[in-house]
Amino acid sequence: MSGYPEGSREFTRLLPPGSGYGVVVGVGAFFALAMIFLTRLQGRFTRLDPNSATEFATASRAVKPGLICCGIVSAWTWSATLLQSSAATYSSGLSSAWWYGVGGTIQICFFAACAAKIKQNANGAVTFPEIARARYGWPCHLLFTSFFLICAHIVTGSLVLGASATINALTGANIIATNFLLPLGIAIYVVAGGLRATFIVDFLHTVILFVILYIFLFSIYGTSNVVGSPGAMYDLLKKAADLAPVAGNAAGSYMTMKSNGGILFGGCTIASGFAGVALDQGYWQRAIASRPESTTRAYMLGGFSWFSIPWAFGTVMGLGARAMITNPAFPTYPYALSAQQVSAGLVAPAAAATIMGKGGAIAILLIVFMAATSACSAELIAVSSLVTRDIIGAYRPLSGHKMVLYSHIVIVLYSIWAGAWSTILHYASIDLGWLFYVQGVLLTPAVIPVALTVMSKRQSKHAAFFGTLFGTTCGLIGWMLGCKKVYGEINITNLALPYAAISGAAPGLVMSGLASFIITAIKPDNYDWNSTRAISLSDSDVPSEGKIERSSASTSELDDEKKDEPTATVASAVLDAQDPGVVAPALEEAAKDPALDRAVLQKVFVRSLWISGIFALVIAIIIPIPMFASRYVFSRRFFEVWVAFSIVWVLLAGGFCIILPIFESRKEIFILAKSALRVMTGRTVKEDVVA
C-alpha cells in the first residue's frame, strides 16, 4: 500500500520545445560537420580511403583496443541503459541497477571469446550471416539474416523511442518529429565517414556521457542541498520504504539485494543482453574492425568499463528519484510517477530535474541524446552491411565501390524507415520497456547456434537451423502460456511484463541449445574453416573479386552427391569446384596473413573464456546471491561503501574510455595535426596513418 497521494499529473517541463529541437538538430549538425571535416582530413593526408569498401565497412581492420573499448561502451549504452536501469531501480531498489550491469556485461566478456574465433577463422568477413552462408549454405544464411534484422529493428526502436520520449517529457518537442530528425542527423556523418566515423563520434559521445555522469554523481552525493551525501540518501530511502515498501524485498527496503522483482529483472536482462550482443551486427563489425592481436583485450576492457554505467547511473538516478518524490521540486509532486511514466523511462529525467532544475534537464537531454545517437550510428552501419552484403550482394556479385554506394543508399533509407518504424511503435503504444522485455523472447533462440557457428567445428548446418527454429517455437509457446497463466489474459501490455517475458526467453535460449547439442551429438560435423577463412572484401571495380560465390548449379549437384557427408566436406567440395582464380587468391592471402597467428589466437580464446567465466561467476553469483539468500538489508555504512565502489569503478571506466584512445593514437593525432599545418604552407605529402 503506497503512502503517496493517489493520482498522477503530467511531467513538469522545464525547457521549451526549441531546446529539444536545438539538441536534436543543432548538436546533430555539429557532429555531422565535424565528422565530414575529419573524413576529408583523413582522405587527404592518410592512405585510408573512406570511399573504399574495406575502410567504410571495417575501418581497414586496424582499430586500436582503446577506441574499440570506447566504441563498445558507447554502442552498448543505449537509451535503455540509462533510462531502464534507473526505472527498474526506482521500482525495485538497488539490486536492479546491479543486475542490469550483470545482464549486459557478461555477454560482452564472453563475446571477447567469439571475437578471437572470428579473427582466427573468418578475418575477412564483414557480417555474421556471410560466415553462416560460407559454412552452412543459404537456408541458415536466410534464417540468421532475418534474426539479425529483427534485432536491428528492436534496437533502433529502443534507441529512438527512448530518446524521443525523454526529449518530449523535458521540452514538449513533438515525438513524431523527433523520431524522424534523430536518425536522419546521424545518417549524415555515417555516410560521410563509415565505420571509422562511428568510432570517432563514439569517442566524443562517450567523453560527454562520462562527464555528465560524473556531474550527476557528485551533485547528488556531494553538493546538493536536497540529498548531499550517500548517508543522507540512505535516510531518505528509509523514509521512502516506510511510505511505499517494495513487495518481495526484504523488509520492503530499497537497499537490499533480496528483491524478487530485482532478480526477475536480472533474469530478463541477461536473456535480453545475450540476444542484444550475439545478434547485433554492430558487435560483430567491431570485432572484425579491430586488430587481431588486441580484439579480445578491447572487448574485455569494454565489458569491465560498461558495467559501471548502469550500476552507477541506475543507483544514483533511480534511488535519487525515489528518495526525492516528496520534494516540491519533483516534476510530478505531490504524486509519484505513474506506471506509464516509469515505463517510458522518465525516472532519470525526474531525478535530474529535481536535483539541478533546468541544468539537470539539459544534462539528461544531452546524455540521452548522446546514448541514442552513438548506438544508432552503429545500427545504421550494421544494417547497411547486412543489406549490402547479405541481401543485395549475396546473390548478385558487387564490386567494392558499388558496395560503398549501396551502403550509402541503405543508410539514408534506413534512417527514414527508423523514424517511420518508431512512429508505428509509438502509435501502437509500444514503449522502451516493452521492447526491452520482448527482445529476449524473440531473439534468444538464435544465441547458442550463432555462438557455436564460430566457436565449434562440430555443429552441423542441421543443428544450427533446426535448433534455432525449435527454440523459437518453444519460446513463443512459453511466452503465451506464461502470460496467460500469470496475468490471466494475453494482450500487448501483459506480454511485456516480467514473468511473461522470462517464460518466453528462458525456454527459447535453453531449448535451442539443447536441440543443437542433441543434433550435433547424433551427427557431428568436422568443419575445417577453409570456406570462412577464404571470405574477403574487395575494393576493386571487379565484382566479387576475392569473394567466395557459390555456383547454384554446381552447388546443387555437389549437395546431392555429398548430402550424407559432413558440412565441411560439402564446403570443401564447393570450393574445389569453383573457379580457382577466384577462390585460390583468397585462401592464399588468408594463409599468408602474418597478423593471423592462429595458435596465439587459440590461446587468447581459451584465456578469454577463463577470464569471462570467473568475472561472470563473481558478479552474477558470488556477490549478489549470498546477500539475496541471507535477506541482508544494507546498513548505513555498507550502503556508503557500496556507493563508493560504484563511483570508483565509473571513474576508472572513464579513464579507460577517455585517456586510453588518445594515448594509443597520439602519434597519428600528431601526424594529422602536422599534415593539416602543411596545407597552410603548401605541402600535402601523404603519410601512413592507422588510427
Side-chain angles (χ1 to χ4, degrees), residues 407-430:
S407 293
H408 289 168
I409 294 171
V410 171
I411 287 169
V412 174
L413 292 178
Y414 187 71
S415 67
I416 297 171
W417 169 244
W421 169 242
S422 300
T423 301
I424 292 169
L425 294 175
H426 172 70
Y427 280 116
S429 299
I430 291 174

Side-chain angles (χ1 to χ4, degrees), residues 52-375:
S52 74
T54 302
E55 172 64 14
F56 187 86
T58 69
S60 300
R61 296 185 174 87
V63 182
K64 296 179 180 178
L67 205 54
I68 291 286
C69 167
C70 186
I72 291 165
V73 170
S74 183
W76 201 215
T77 305
W78 303 354
S79 308
T81 305
L82 306 173
L83 304 179
Q84 194 67 26
S85 63
S86 52
T89 304
Y90 171 88
S91 300
S92 300
L94 56 75
S95 67
S96 293
W98 177 269
W99 283 117
Y100 197 105
V102 171
T105 300
I106 58 177
Q107 294 86 346
I108 299 175
C109 292
F110 278 112
F111 193 83
C114 283
K117 280 296 185 181
I118 295 167
K119 286 298 180 184
Q120 186 178 355
N121 295 319
N123 191 45
V126 175
T127 69
F128 171 82
E130 68 180 341
I131 298 174
R133 178 170 176 257
R135 177 171 179 176
Y136 300 132
W138 68 265
C140 284
H141 177 252
L142 291 178
L143 179 67
F144 289 132
T145 300
S146 300
F147 269 94
F148 272 66
L149 288 174
I150 291 170
C151 180
H153 277 73
I154 292 175
V155 173
T156 301
S158 297
L159 296 171
V160 177
L161 276 178
S164 295
T166 301
I167 293 169
N168 171 263
L170 292 173
T171 70
N174 185 271
I175 287 182
I176 308 305
T178 308
N179 283 346
F180 282 94
L181 289 172
L182 193 66
L184 278 172
I186 301 165
I188 296 172
Y189 70 75
V190 175
V191 167
L195 185 61
R196 193 178 297 272
T198 70
F199 279 118
I200 296 172
V201 175
D202 281 350
F203 172 73
L204 298 175
H205 286 178
T206 303
V207 170
I208 296 171
L209 186 149
F210 273 107
V211 169
I212 294 176
L213 177 53
Y214 294 155
I215 290 172
F216 284 139
L217 285 170
F218 293 118
S219 294
I220 293 178
Y221 291 137
T223 62
S224 166
N225 294 325
V226 179
V227 181
S229 70
M233 173 81 83
Y234 180 88
D235 295 335
L236 289 170
L237 289 171
K238 287 194 71 174
K239 294 178 182 177
D242 292 335
L243 285 171
V246 186
N249 281 24
S253 175
Y254 292 91
M255 297 169 290
T256 177
M257 293 299 288
K258 171 43 181 90
S259 170
N260 295 344
I263 202 165
L264 176 63
F265 176 75
C268 293
T269 303
I270 290 171
S272 181
F274 267 114
V277 171
L279 274 73
D280 189 339
Q281 170 58 25
Y283 285 90
W284 295 87
Q285 212 138 346
R286 279 168 164 74
I288 290 163
S290 62
R291 294 181 173 184
E293 69 274 13
S294 59
T295 302
T296 300
R297 183 166 72 252
Y299 270 80
M300 287 293 182
L301 282 175
F304 295 155
S305 299
W306 183 86
F307 178 81
S308 67
I309 295 175
W311 181 27
F313 187 88
T315 299
V316 70
M317 304 306 282
L319 294 183
R322 175 59 66 178
M324 295 183 289
I325 290 176
T326 55
N327 190 292
F330 195 75
T332 59
Y333 179 83
Y335 306 110
L337 293 168
S338 68
Q340 291 77 15
Q341 289 167 332
V342 172
S343 184
L346 300 184
V347 170
T354 305
I355 206 74
M356 296 172 62
K358 287 187 177 181
I362 293 171
I364 204 73
L365 197 63
L366 283 174
I367 199 172
V368 170
F369 174 79
M370 294 301 166
T373 54
S374 179

Side-chain angles (χ1 to χ4, degrees), residues 128 144 148 278-279 284 446-455 459 468:
F128 171 82
F144 289 132
F148 272 66
L279 274 73
W284 295 87
V447 169
I448 293 176
V450 162
L452 292 179
T453 296
V454 296
M455 296 175 69
Q459 179 174 258
T468 301

Side-chain angles (χ1 to χ4, degrees), residues 134-135 527-528 530-531 548-551 554-563 565-580 583 587:
R135 177 171 179 176
Y527 186 57
D528 57 15
N530 280 341
S531 57
I548 296 176
E549 290 295 333
R550 291 175 179 265
S551 168
S554 61
T555 302
S556 177
E557 293 169 5
L558 284 164
D559 282 346
D560 289 339
E561 294 173 7
K562 304 284 185 178
K563 62 183 179 181
E565 297 184 18
T567 308
T569 307
V570 177
S572 299
V574 172
L575 288 172
D576 294 338
Q578 290 176 318
D579 181 0
V583 179
L587 288 171

Side-chain angles (χ1 to χ4, degrees), residues 49-54 56 388 398-408 537-544:
D49 181 7
N51 294 315
S52 74
T54 302
F56 187 86
T388 304
L398 298 174
S399 68
H401 297 309
K402 281 193 174 180
M403 283 187 178
V404 174
L405 174 62
Y406 280 119
S407 293
H408 289 168
L537 177 59
S538 170
D539 283 324
S540 75
D541 290 320
V542 180
S544 193

